[in-house]
Amino acid sequence: MHKYLYIQYTTMIVVCFICGVACYQLFQIEQVLQIIKFGDRRILNMEKPEMLWSVVPFIVALSIVLFFSTHKYLPRIALVFIAIKVTFLGFSSVYLLVQHQSVKLYAFWWFPFQLVYCVLLIVLYQITNKNSGRRALKSVMPWKKVIFLLFVMLFIFALENFAITYLFK
């Protein structure tokens, strides 16, 4: 059963990324800039972003996935949000490569860290969604796993900000 979930989530990541690349082709540059400004404005400039603009997308994504994956009736919305995040990854990747022509930023910062975030959000969804409809949140939530995963995500966030420090001038 777990093997099928891995295949399912991997397929979701690949299809959503490709859809993001295809969506980039459908929009005009003004629309692309608006979408990226709303999604993650760090890639619009070639300067080191403020810490606030690094923290906001991280906290928002984490909050949305945690809220909906632990919700009794709406856990699938967390998966839809993760799919949108992966689509945005493909969409913004094309923008970064085409407009800024920066393979270095893409290869060492944007793609690896955003992909790891998406995979960790899927893991968070899987951990928190198990048996969510049967009992109260307190007795079902595997707190040790969730806290460990949150520490891993914070560590990845710190690594990303370390990479940003050295990649941006």
Side-chain angles (χ1 to χ4, degrees):
M1 182 68 182
H2 289 289
K3 184 171 101 176
Y4 295 116
L5 282 176
Y6 295 137
I7 293 170
Q8 200 174 26
Y9 291 139
T10 304
T11 304
M12 180 184 87
I13 289 173
V14 170
V15 168
C16 289
F17 187 87
I18 291 170
C19 287
V21 171
C23 283
Y24 180 85
Q25 303 299 323
L26 299 175
F27 295 111
Q28 296 175 357
I29 192 67
E30 296 84 20
Q31 296 167 326
V32 168
L33 293 174
Q34 287 178 342
I35 292 170
I36 290 176
K37 186 177 180 182
F38 179 72
D40 195 342
R41 62 178 63 196
R42 295 179 295 173
I43 61 173
L44 292 177
N45 300 355
M46 294 307 289
E47 303 164 356
K48 184 179 175 189
E50 296 177 20
M51 186 61 142
L52 174 70
W53 298 119
S54 293
V55 171
V56 169
F58 177 76
I59 296 295
V60 167
L62 193 61
S63 302
I64 289 173
V65 171
L66 266 176
F67 176 75
F68 284 112
S69 64
T70 58
H71 196 278
K72 187 174 181 177
Y73 300 110
L74 303 171
R76 297 287 182 197
I77 292 177
L79 264 183
V80 171
F81 176 77
I82 295 168
I84 291 169
K85 188 155 177 62
V86 175
T87 305
F88 180 76
L89 170 62
F91 184 83
S92 56
S93 294
V94 176
Y95 173 80
L96 188 63
L97 290 171
V98 171
Q99 297 297 322
H100 292 302
Q101 298 175 349
S102 180
V103 175
K104 183 172 112 177
L105 281 177
Y106 176 74
F108 293 115
W109 167 55
W110 184 249
F111 182 76
F113 286 106
Q114 296 306 312
L115 182 63
V116 168
Y117 283 142
C118 292
V119 169
L120 289 175
L121 287 174
I122 290 173
V123 172
L124 183 64
Y125 168 78
Q126 251 330 98
I127 289 172
T128 56
N129 189 31
K130 288 185 180 180
N131 302 326
S132 63
R134 294 188 190 160
R135 290 180 248 139
L137 180 64
K138 186 167 69 174
S139 63
V140 174
M141 181 70 79
W143 289 108
K144 289 181 182 178
K145 290 180 182 179
V146 170
I147 290 172
F148 175 74
L149 189 60
L150 291 175
F151 277 121
V152 169
M153 292 179 91
L154 285 172
F155 178 73
I156 298 297
F157 180 74
L159 280 177
E160 179 187 22
N161 284 314
F162 182 74
I164 286 172
T165 303
Y166 287 102
L167 289 173
F168 286 99
K169 295 177 175 46

